[in-house]
Amino acid sequence: MCGIIGYTGPLEARDLLLNGLAGLEYRGYDSAGIAYFNTASQVRIIKNVGKVAALRECVKKTAEVSHCGIGHTRWATHGGVTDKNAHPHRAGQVTLIHNGIIENYHQLTEEYGLGDKLVSQTDSEVAAWVLDAVYRDCRHDPLAAIGAFVKKLAGSYGFCILFDDRPGEIYAVRNVSPLVAAYTRSGAIIASDLTALISYTKEYFVVPEGHIVRLTPYKVRVYDMDYNRIEPEMLEVSWNMDAAMKNGFPHFMLKEIHEQPEALRNTILPRLAGNLPDFTADGIPDELFLDCNQIRIIACGTAMHAGIVAKALMEPLLRIPVTVSIASEFRYEDPLVDGKTLAIVISQSGETIDTLAAMRLAQSLGAPVLSIVNVKGSTIARESDHVFYTHAGPEIAVASTKAYSVQLAALYMLCCRMALTRGRCTKAQAGQFMEDLLAVIPAMEAMIGQSDHIRSFVRHLIRERDTFFIGRGLDYAFSLEGALKLKEISYIHAEAYAAGELKHGTIALIYDNVPVIAIATQDHVFAKTISNVREVKARGAYVILLAKEQAQLEDGVADMELRIPDLEDRFTVFPIAVALQLIAYYASIGKNLDVDQPRNLAKSVTVE
Ligand code: M6R
């Protein structure tokens, strides 16, 4: 959740760290800090509550020069948002930054008698003191000390460490929490995320778990826990810096909404052989689809909502049970999973800890795992049995948009291939399915073209405290994501309900003028949904209705309408997703909120 960067080399380290942190801020943004060796080889720490811009102002007040340092943006877990709890933390000879959670920090506090020493309430400071003690025990041998240190820890961590008597050197180690590193012409660099590296290099490696990395101005070395040097597997970044910039858009979220048609093209087209889906290049064999008698989809948040859409698509087509589980629940529900279960794990970041743990559980129960992941080389991608990489490019806004639509595209393609493999459709039907899938791209473009009209809805939304989303079947599945998007960035209380369920309780919440966003794109339940629209309208709701161009609507059934292109029913999610994302975006703008970095959230949820 936190952003981490470390640099050693000829460039001015403080500037580089601050610029890197600005790019990583989306990972956590309640406080920020840097630590560096100054020209007298002393470690200096500057940290404070607030964003990186505030830290930059503080740093400007000191005129020091540095060529080696570490930096951190925090998303608080242990201890409130205070200057003292901000990273880096210092203990004796050790200064460190940490992403993750040290679960046994209480025991360590007692074991090392740290009660009086601690100046913060963080688990990370406890870790710093433990490392300092071990460093002394190991006679200042960094590798031996880090090796002994991690044996004492339970939990997840990505650490970057400075030792007072090792100026110019940075050490790092990780368990679960991500770290990537590179040696570049401008020095050695390590970070929690590629966005911090991309200005300096295209070649990088994922720090292997349970290994120690040593960065000096001249090289980056990786050691296993027996202190043998290993050569990490080098990867190449497949996108450029432009992809991680706003490029003229006022916010990353708006840019990423606009990037969706391109992201879909990039994800779908390379996987078409003729007009059929083909995963040969992904190494996903057809046997995977043949050998299963149930599918378990596991994910969190928006990715889980993509799974709910997939269930509604897959079950009627494949005629096998498809269950969608929230990863944090799956872990503790003693799930019914065996070797005949295909587990589909969905994650944009590939680092979400609950999803990762649920995936490991599914694997331990014998299920082969196919992951749908956006970030190349991420932990979920590496540990799953097969990966379908989506090609959305970096998603920076905390609210997921383009990642959702490419996850859907991936799921639609997988469903099509599965149906073909299992004899549930003919080649001609599969070809038509793919043609319908490609037709969503211009439909999404058309929706983006309606941005001004969509913007006009939110005047009403932002005046009210609640918003309800209703729909049936697939439309209900889309509503769940619409409600999440709205609450996440506009802080308006929003709930999605199956339209037919309203009268079993929820309709009591309908009051004069409360906005209801009704989605009615599924022909077989269209009339039923419209009846439910009338029910809420009769009780005073202000209805915004999303329906296809061709839908016949009587005057007065809704207060506002948005027409989407006439796609086959199963494909309307794509333009609807764009519309719901834009509604949330403009509601956030209308309330003058921080669209890209909403309160209390962080992009990559690497704590349980
Ligand atoms: O990286 P992941 O796809 O695993 O992330 C899952 C959720 O944390 C994520 O989708 C979250 O719900 C988004 N902020 C929603 O916009």
Side-chain angles (χ1 to χ4, degrees), residues 153-164:
L153 305 179
S156 59
Y157 47 81
F159 286 110
C160 283
I161 304 154
L162 306 179
F163 293 102
D164 279 5

PDB file of all heavy atoms in Angstrom, residues 153-164:
ATOM      1  N   LEU A 153      10.796 -12.245  11.810  1.00  0.00           N
ATOM      2  CA  LEU A 153       9.576 -11.516  11.448  1.00  0.00           C
ATOM      3  C   LEU A 153       8.468 -12.450  10.994  1.00  0.00           C
ATOM      4  O   LEU A 153       8.707 -13.410  10.274  1.00  0.00           O
ATOM      5  CB  LEU A 153       9.861 -10.535  10.305  1.00  0.00           C
ATOM      6  CG  LEU A 153      10.996  -9.534  10.517  1.00  0.00           C
ATOM      7  CD1 LEU A 153      11.134  -8.671   9.259  1.00  0.00           C
ATOM      8  CD2 LEU A 153      10.739  -8.663  11.730  1.00  0.00           C
ATOM      9  N   ALA A 154       7.232 -12.099  11.390  1.00  0.00           N
ATOM     10  CA  ALA A 154       6.050 -12.738  10.795  1.00  0.00           C
ATOM     11  C   ALA A 154       5.281 -11.610  10.127  1.00  0.00           C
ATOM     12  O   ALA A 154       5.124 -10.533  10.699  1.00  0.00           O
ATOM     13  CB  ALA A 154       5.206 -13.387  11.885  1.00  0.00           C
ATOM     14  N   GLY A 155       4.835 -11.849   8.921  1.00  0.00           N
ATOM     15  CA  GLY A 155       4.049 -10.809   8.245  1.00  0.00           C
ATOM     16  C   GLY A 155       4.563 -10.551   6.844  1.00  0.00           C
ATOM     17  O   GLY A 155       5.294 -11.362   6.268  1.00  0.00           O
ATOM     18  N   SER A 156       4.174  -9.409   6.321  1.00  0.00           N
ATOM     19  CA  SER A 156       4.587  -9.069   4.959  1.00  0.00           C
ATOM     20  C   SER A 156       5.473  -7.830   5.027  1.00  0.00           C
ATOM     21  O   SER A 156       5.279  -6.969   5.882  1.00  0.00           O
ATOM     22  CB  SER A 156       3.351  -8.772   4.099  1.00  0.00           C
ATOM     23  OG  SER A 156       2.628  -7.706   4.674  1.00  0.00           O
ATOM     24  N   TYR A 157       6.439  -7.780   4.152  1.00  0.00           N
ATOM     25  CA  TYR A 157       7.314  -6.610   4.192  1.00  0.00           C
ATOM     26  C   TYR A 157       8.057  -6.415   2.882  1.00  0.00           C
ATOM     27  O   TYR A 157       8.369  -7.361   2.167  1.00  0.00           O
ATOM     28  CB  TYR A 157       8.345  -6.716   5.337  1.00  0.00           C
ATOM     29  CG  TYR A 157       9.043  -8.063   5.412  1.00  0.00           C
ATOM     30  CD1 TYR A 157      10.118  -8.372   4.587  1.00  0.00           C
ATOM     31  CD2 TYR A 157       8.590  -9.029   6.300  1.00  0.00           C
ATOM     32  CE1 TYR A 157      10.733  -9.616   4.652  1.00  0.00           C
ATOM     33  CE2 TYR A 157       9.198 -10.288   6.359  1.00  0.00           C
ATOM     34  CZ  TYR A 157      10.272 -10.576   5.535  1.00  0.00           C
ATOM     35  OH  TYR A 157      10.883 -11.807   5.583  1.00  0.00           O
ATOM     36  N   GLY A 158       8.273  -5.142   2.581  1.00  0.00           N
ATOM     37  CA  GLY A 158       9.276  -4.733   1.617  1.00  0.00           C
ATOM     38  C   GLY A 158      10.066  -3.672   2.370  1.00  0.00           C
ATOM     39  O   GLY A 158       9.494  -2.670   2.805  1.00  0.00           O
ATOM     40  N   PHE A 159      11.338  -3.938   2.638  1.00  0.00           N
ATOM     41  CA  PHE A 159      12.159  -2.972   3.386  1.00  0.00           C
ATOM     42  C   PHE A 159      13.245  -2.416   2.480  1.00  0.00           C
ATOM     43  O   PHE A 159      13.837  -3.165   1.698  1.00  0.00           O
ATOM     44  CB  PHE A 159      12.915  -3.660   4.530  1.00  0.00           C
ATOM     45  CG  PHE A 159      12.081  -4.040   5.715  1.00  0.00           C
ATOM     46  CD1 PHE A 159      11.826  -5.383   5.987  1.00  0.00           C
ATOM     47  CD2 PHE A 159      11.575  -3.077   6.577  1.00  0.00           C
ATOM     48  CE1 PHE A 159      11.075  -5.756   7.092  1.00  0.00           C
ATOM     49  CE2 PHE A 159      10.827  -3.440   7.693  1.00  0.00           C
ATOM     50  CZ  PHE A 159      10.579  -4.788   7.947  1.00  0.00           C
ATOM     51  N   CYS A 160      13.534  -1.126   2.615  1.00  0.00           N
ATOM     52  CA  CYS A 160      14.785  -0.561   2.099  1.00  0.00           C
ATOM     53  C   CYS A 160      15.512  -0.002   3.310  1.00  0.00           C
ATOM     54  O   CYS A 160      14.919   0.699   4.139  1.00  0.00           O
ATOM     55  CB  CYS A 160      14.529   0.555   1.086  1.00  0.00           C
ATOM     56  SG  CYS A 160      14.038  -0.060  -0.505  1.00  0.00           S
ATOM     57  N   ILE A 161      16.809  -0.301   3.375  1.00  0.00           N
ATOM     58  CA  ILE A 161      17.544  -0.057   4.623  1.00  0.00           C
ATOM     59  C   ILE A 161      18.846   0.692   4.350  1.00  0.00           C
ATOM     60  O   ILE A 161      19.578   0.361   3.404  1.00  0.00           O
ATOM     61  CB  ILE A 161      17.893  -1.424   5.290  1.00  0.00           C
ATOM     62  CG1 ILE A 161      16.621  -2.244   5.521  1.00  0.00           C
ATOM     63  CG2 ILE A 161      18.659  -1.211   6.589  1.00  0.00           C
ATOM     64  CD1 ILE A 161      16.852  -3.756   5.564  1.00  0.00           C
ATOM     65  N   LEU A 162      19.140   1.678   5.212  1.00  0.00           N
ATOM     66  CA  LEU A 162      20.460   2.318   5.211  1.00  0.00           C
ATOM     67  C   LEU A 162      21.134   1.956   6.530  1.00  0.00           C
ATOM     68  O   LEU A 162      20.497   2.009   7.589  1.00  0.00           O
ATOM     69  CB  LEU A 162      20.331   3.843   5.140  1.00  0.00           C
ATOM     70  CG  LEU A 162      19.518   4.467   4.007  1.00  0.00           C
ATOM     71  CD1 LEU A 162      19.491   5.995   4.147  1.00  0.00           C
ATOM     72  CD2 LEU A 162      20.086   4.073   2.639  1.00  0.00           C
ATOM     73  N   PHE A 163      22.404   1.580   6.466  1.00  0.00           N
ATOM     74  CA  PHE A 163      23.181   1.394   7.687  1.00  0.00           C
ATOM     75  C   PHE A 163      24.141   2.577   7.782  1.00  0.00           C
ATOM     76  O   PHE A 163      24.804   2.922   6.778  1.00  0.00           O
ATOM     77  CB  PHE A 163      23.985   0.084   7.634  1.00  0.00           C
ATOM     78  CG  PHE A 163      23.111  -1.151   7.640  1.00  0.00           C
ATOM     79  CD1 PHE A 163      22.868  -1.854   6.460  1.00  0.00           C
ATOM     80  CD2 PHE A 163      22.534  -1.599   8.820  1.00  0.00           C
ATOM     81  CE1 PHE A 163      22.078  -2.995   6.465  1.00  0.00           C
ATOM     82  CE2 PHE A 163      21.728  -2.750   8.825  1.00  0.00           C
ATOM     83  CZ  PHE A 163      21.501  -3.442   7.648  1.00  0.00           C
ATOM     84  N   ASP A 164      24.238   3.172   8.979  1.00  0.00           N
ATOM     85  CA  ASP A 164      25.065   4.387   9.160  1.00  0.00           C
ATOM     86  C   ASP A 164      26.487   4.218   8.631  1.00  0.00           C
ATOM     87  O   ASP A 164      27.067   5.155   8.081  1.00  0.00           O
ATOM     88  CB  ASP A 164      25.179   4.734  10.655  1.00  0.00           C
ATOM     89  CG  ASP A 164      23.958   5.484  11.146  1.00  0.00           C
ATOM     90  OD1 ASP A 164      23.008   5.641  10.344  1.00  0.00           O
ATOM     91  OD2 ASP A 164      23.952   5.897  12.324  1.00  0.00           O
TER      92      ASP A 164
END
